[in-house]
Amino acid sequence: MEGFVVNGGVDSIVKGHSSRTISSRSLVVISSGARVTAIDLKKRLQSERGRGPSGGFPKAFGGKKFGTVVVWLRDELRLDDNVALDRAYEDATNLIVVVIYGHDRMQWRAANFMRDSISDLRQSLRSQGSDLILRRGKPEDILPEFCKQTNAEALYYYRGKNQRKMKAADDVGAKMEDLGVRCFYDFEDTLYDFKTIKFPESEVPEDCHAFTERMKDVEVPSPRQRPKRIPPCPRNLDRGILPEIEDLAFPESNNNSSVRKTPIGGETTALARLKQFVLGKTKKPPLEGGTNQDIEFGAFNAYIALGCISPRRIYENVMKDVSKASMRRYCTCFDLQLADFLTFLELKRLKHPKPVGALPSPL
């Protein structure tokens, strides 16, 4: 039997190959009477080059660093201004977005809000032709096996804002290192860019007012736009099912009446709320005998906590569209700066712990 082998652009005739013979470095097309054109060969060659060792997981091409990477999201349940997702999109041919649940329990209302947020993120990814992969268990157990299953070359994630989150991320990173999977976690989900701050963490003020005064001349980076298109997930990959509230909440926190009062979670709702907020349509009802309240502390705190919206996106819209004289502008900026202050303070105390017995400074 006679056929053509395409290898590095060189065509030659080979004999004695069966129709099933396909090498990882050369593509053998058997001539069985049908006309095989150069275009057919080119398409087939590109298809083979785009596959990974297990089939369906593409190798790097088009100037990308990696073939398949995994983006692990925890408290960053959004597509807009998501630095880890954006970097992975720039670096890899194929990316798989993963959320792992069930290892951190929370109150019933928070669990309901988180379930909404996960569901909304999945719908957003599906609208772009991709999907959200859901797994239940401990990240340090799930992610190593998942990366092996998908032949992932790198893992992108946020390290976290507190000691517990950081430790969990470091445990995952240690296991990834054993597998030879590269980890990228130097991302920040904060208002200010930590890397541009000129004073060291040891000099971070320990009261919020002094911190805001120190930061008033620091520029807030512009938010990134969401990727225009996220590559689709491999077809043979199990997507996982949405968690029930019982999978996320403490059993003793069951309170159905409080669930009904919980705001709807998710990036879609957060961005819609931001749009209404800057138009002044979210004011609280007037007090008895009073006028509408323009003071709105904590308007986005629940959405920021799960990363349904970026602090920089809120800041950009509020500074652009809300009057300087509005208390809503002042309240929002204070909330964002307070969140950054607490994050900086946590990092400072982790790297520069106080002596035993020292009293913490008041906020």
Side-chain angles (χ1 to χ4, degrees), residues 298-318:
F300 296 97
N301 285 359
Y303 297 96
I304 292 174
L306 275 182
C308 299
I309 193 168
S310 160
R312 295 171 187 174
R313 180 64 66 196
I314 297 173
Y315 184 85
E316 180 188 66
N317 281 260
V318 169

Side-chain angles (χ1 to χ4, degrees), residues 26 144 218 308:
S26 62
V218 177
C308 299

